[in-house]
Amino acid sequence: MDKSLEKVLSRWLKQQKSACGIYLNLTVLFGVLTGLALVAQAYLLATMLHGMIIESQPKTDFINHFYLLIGIIALRALLAYGRERISFKAGCLLRGQIRKAVLDKLTQLGPVFIKGKPAGSWASIVLEQVEDLHDFYAKYLPQMLLAGFIPLTILAVVFPINWAAGIILLATAPLIPLFMILVGMGAADANRKNFTALSRLSGHFMDRLKGMSTIKLFYRGDCEIKAIETASEEFRSRTMAVLRMAFLSSAVLEFFAAVSIAVLAVYFGFSFLDHLDFGHYGAGLTLFTGLFVLILAPEFYQPLRDMGTHYHAKAQAIGAAEALMALLNHPESGCGDNNSCDSNIGGNQGVPFASNQPLSLVLQDVTVRSLDGQVLAGPLSVTLLAGQRMALVGPSGAGKSSLLNMLLGFLPYEGSVLVNGIELNTLDRVSYRRHLAWLGQEPQLFHGTVRDNVAMSNIEMSDASVLALLEKAQVREFVDAQPLGLAHPIGEQSAGVSVGQAQRLCLARALGQEAQLLLLDEPTASLDSHSEQAVLAALDEAMAGASALMVTHRLDSLQQMDKIVVLDKGRIVQQGDYQTLVSQRGLFRELCHEQALSEALS
């Protein structure tokens, strides 16, 4: 990984620590108190052993020392327990805030952006990658501070009694972080590649699960098994590379810590044998000094070793932060680096929008762009009067759905879009969308009951109101036939209902918003003739009290529309009512003839 990018990611990670609140500081405080307790414990042990072994004092003289030692050991245990609990709480708060920020950002960017990646990839970001930030905040960041404080505290008490031991500790201490850095240099890059492989595998696997019936239908099972096996093997090899680095790092740190303690032990051993005579300020080397320093020596290196052990948490967090930071910093306008596009809606700080009448739309030289700045449609100039019903027709790829997504606020545009005379990109996002109802060609129901799905826009809606909406959507008969009625369960991916029933339930949900503008994207696609007629009848009633803009390929159902706009290659090539367009040469009549021929042949 590029060093400049790693610094940027590290800086971004540290900027998020405010989400941990006071818990991060409490974790450090408990670690500091543990370090002070260590010094007191070593002092008591060395004093007791020196007194009983060298000065031959009776054991009864050290009863108070012994009770105090037991108390300090218990205190250390409580501090360690409290530190673990508090650090876990800090990590939980951080993960919760990051996950909320990710979900809020995905909501702002909208479905067009989300469809750019498989569902499994988003699941990997929201779940695994956010989860991998935990140890960085719960363990690594507090340990960085403790790795400086505790060794300095021990040096402060060792140097006054033996400067040679202090120099040995001071000289050998940098070996551990030095080799930790050398071993961990490639860890962040390895973790980043591991996350990429996991995201690719998750997306690939999820897509294949969703398309299992199609795979079986075309006898592609063996090929897909090999593809998943290849992706799994890539992920396994990258995971093992990360584990190798983690084990190598731990082994190196343990080795140099053991060597450093051994050097200190050799110094004291030769000093007690009178082969060395320096470091004790001329007062002579006592058993107390040797025991005190040797007891503290492992604790001197332990914070550095712990930081090395948790260093892989930093590498793991940096690998996860790359995708998270890119997502959270993604511009909502989506026009790339040139920033030439206006954002669709003014965000939560825009002009509040309110209307109890059907909305009017005026588009003047509007160009709709993709999230990476590519032109999808335009320039377009068209007017939808309040209460008018307009249809958008044209071949696939003409820009019809792109225009709807722009009006929903999910795609950027250039030009002018006036909603009741107010520019769209100045409106408050939330208040504007309260006046919209959208119904797409792929009905989206969620795990829950029929009532949960229909009353999503107003959870306090009464059962009678829900049943009235089901009646308008011509799906109440189905709900009444279920033993549980409104409590009839709906599973993931609309499990438990047919496509036609799901579409009509979505229509009931849309009707419940009492919107002033209906945006309909192929609402009768994939429906049988009975379901299609039911949905069209319900839509005809719903459109009576609102403005409506509908994308459809069903040209024979457009006779009730006030205006039809024909798009081709992102441009308006015809517009007028049904009778006008079908009577003149042009794309609309050609599309009508093609549809009639297709139905005749089928």
Side-chain angles (χ1 to χ4, degrees):
M1 178 182 290
D2 183 73
K3 289 298 178 184
S4 60
L5 175 59
E6 186 173 348
K7 289 181 180 178
V8 170
L9 294 175
S10 298
R11 194 180 309 118
W12 181 83
L13 286 170
K14 291 178 181 178
Q15 289 172 351
Q16 312 307 312
K17 68 180 182 181
S18 59
C20 301
I22 195 175
Y23 293 99
L24 197 60
N25 295 330
L26 285 176
T27 301
V28 176
L29 176 62
F30 275 42
V32 168
L33 294 176
T34 302
L36 296 176
L38 286 172
V39 175
Q41 178 181 315
Y43 174 81
L44 290 172
L45 277 172
T47 300
M48 292 170 60
L49 292 173
H50 177 80
M52 288 185 288
I53 296 173
I54 301 301
E55 299 181 358
S56 300
Q57 292 179 255
K59 297 178 182 178
T60 54
D61 291 351
F62 298 100
I63 292 296
N64 292 335
H65 290 73
F66 179 75
Y67 287 141
L68 189 56
L69 178 64
I70 295 298
I72 289 177
I73 292 174
L75 177 63
R76 283 188 60 194
L78 289 175
L79 288 172
Y81 172 79
R83 181 184 167 194
E84 286 296 321
R85 291 296 301 268
I86 292 171
S87 65
F88 181 79
K89 180 66 175 179
C92 283
L93 288 175
L94 184 282
R95 284 180 291 145
Q97 179 157 320
I98 294 293
R99 191 166 283 130
K100 180 179 182 301
V102 168
L103 294 175
D104 287 346
K105 187 67 176 182
L106 289 176
T107 301
Q108 293 169 5
L109 292 172
V112 176
F113 179 81
I114 294 173
K115 287 183 178 180
K117 286 185 179 181
S121 297
W122 294 121
S124 174
I125 291 176
V126 174
L127 299 176
E128 283 90 350
Q129 296 196 23
V130 173
E131 200 71 24
D132 284 326
L133 298 179
H134 177 87
D135 284 349
F136 177 79
Y137 295 93
K139 299 182 183 298
Y140 180 77
L141 278 184
Q143 196 60 43
M144 277 186 65
L145 298 175
L146 295 176
F149 177 82
I150 293 179
L152 288 176
T153 302
I154 292 176
L155 286 176
V157 298
V158 168
F159 262 109
I161 61 176
N162 192 287
W163 59 264
I167 289 177
I168 292 174
L169 291 174
L170 187 60
T172 55
L175 291 176
I176 293 178
L178 174 63
F179 282 91
M180 174 188 73
I181 293 171
L182 291 176
V183 172
M185 282 179 65
D189 190 51
N191 274 282
R192 181 178 60 83
K193 293 179 179 178
N194 189 49
F195 282 128
T196 301
L198 175 60
S199 178
R200 187 182 304 117
L201 176 61
S202 299
H204 187 94
F205 188 67
M206 179 68 75
D207 285 348
R208 270 53 188 179
L209 280 179
K210 292 169 68 176
M212 185 65 72
S213 57
T214 305
I215 291 172
K216 288 183 177 180
L217 183 63
F218 288 92
Y219 300 100
R220 299 292 297 176
D222 292 339
C223 293
E224 293 303 328
I225 288 174
K226 291 179 181 178
I228 292 176
E229 182 180 0
T230 301
S232 301
E233 177 60 25
E234 180 187 1
F235 178 64
R236 184 198 67 80
S237 63
R238 295 191 185 282
T239 301
M240 295 306 297
V242 173
L243 290 176
R244 280 196 301 271
M245 287 189 176
F247 288 132
L248 177 62
S249 175
S250 299
V252 168
L253 297 180
E254 293 292 336
F255 172 76
F256 282 102
V259 169
S260 301
I261 295 172
V263 170
L264 199 61
V266 167
Y267 162 73
F268 281 113
F270 278 96
S271 296
F272 285 131
L273 294 173
D274 296 327
H275 294 301
L276 296 176
D277 188 22
F278 62 89
H280 44 71
Y281 301 105
L285 186 65
T286 63
L287 181 62
F288 168 82
T289 303
L291 287 174
F292 182 65
V293 175
L294 286 175
I295 292 172
L296 285 179
E299 307 298 342
F300 175 84
Y301 297 109
Q302 188 62 45
L304 299 172
R305 292 159 63 189
D306 288 343
M307 187 175 72
T309 301
H310 300 320
Y311 187 77
H312 75 279
K314 177 189 176 183
Q316 196 173 37
I318 287 177
E322 185 175 16
L324 290 170
M325 189 180 75
L327 173 61
L328 294 175
N329 293 337
H330 194 284
E332 291 184 36
S333 62
C335 289
D337 298 330
N338 56 16
N339 294 322
S340 60
C341 302
D342 298 324
S343 61
N344 286 41
I345 307 178
N348 295 329
Q349 304 300 322
V351 177
F353 183 78
S355 175
N356 55 8
Q357 300 295 328
L359 303 187
S360 66
L361 297 175
V362 179
L363 281 66
Q364 298 176 348
D365 297 323
V366 172
T367 298
V368 182
R369 292 184 176 271
S370 66
L371 294 172
D372 58 3
Q374 301 296 317
V375 175
L376 298 177
L380 305 173
S381 294
V382 67
T383 299
L384 174 67
L385 300 177
Q388 196 172 38
R389 295 180 289 182
M390 179 189 294
L392 297 175
V393 301
S396 298
K400 305 182 297 296
S401 296
S402 299
L403 181 57
L404 288 191
N405 280 311
M406 181 274 291
L407 293 173
L408 287 166
F410 299 135
L411 283 176
Y413 71 90
E414 294 174 335
S416 175
V417 178
L418 300 179
V419 182
N420 282 5
I422 306 173
E423 186 61 43
L424 175 60
N425 59 21
T426 65
L427 295 178
D428 172 69
R429 176 187 296 115
V430 175
S431 61
Y432 165 69
R433 286 178 177 164
R434 286 199 182 106
H435 297 78
L436 306 181
W438 175 82
L439 186 64
Q441 54 186 301
E442 298 176 0
Q444 296 292 328
L445 296 179
F446 303 94
H447 180 77
T449 64
V450 169
R451 190 191 190 289
D452 293 336
N453 278 274
V454 175
M456 187 172 292
S457 62
N458 181 12
I459 58 175
E460 297 180 357
M461 188 182 297
S462 65
D463 288 352
S465 298
V466 174
L467 290 171
L469 292 174
L470 294 173
E471 184 76 35
K472 289 182 181 179
Q474 301 195 20
V475 72
R476 179 170 177 174
E477 183 179 348
F478 161 75
V479 175
D480 288 341
Q482 306 306 312
L484 297 178
L486 292 178
H488 177 69
I490 296 176
E492 298 290 345
Q493 304 295 324
S494 303
V497 295
S498 69
V499 176
Q501 290 162 349
Q503 187 70 307
R504 279 178 278 172
L505 288 172
C506 288
L507 175 58
R509 179 171 62 200
L511 296 176
Q513 295 178 239
E514 298 181 354
Q516 278 77 50
L517 175 61
L518 300 177
L519 298 175
L520 312 170
D521 188 1
E522 298 284 358
T524 60
S526 305
L527 299 183
D528 56 45
S529 58
H530 173 73
S531 298
E532 180 183 3
Q533 293 303 318
V535 169
L536 288 175
L539 283 174
D540 189 58
E541 181 180 349
M543 288 188 290
S547 303
L549 186 60
M550 181 170 70
V551 171
T552 182
H553 283 98
R554 300 295 302 176
L555 306 182
D556 54 356
S557 62
L558 299 181
Q559 298 184 29
Q560 304 302 319
M561 305 302 285
D562 299 311
K563 180 188 288 188
I564 299 172
V565 176
V566 185
L567 295 176
D568 187 25
K569 299 178 181 179
R571 301 292 187 94
I572 297 176
V573 294
Q574 287 180 287
Q575 56 181 310
D577 59 27
Y578 182 85
Q579 296 299 331
T580 301
L581 294 179
V582 80
S583 63
Q584 61 181 325
R585 292 178 178 270
L587 180 59
F588 183 78
R589 191 163 72 173
E590 293 176 6
L591 293 173
C592 289
H593 289 166
E594 289 177 4
Q595 181 174 309
L597 180 61
S598 176
E599 291 177 353
L601 292 175
S602 62

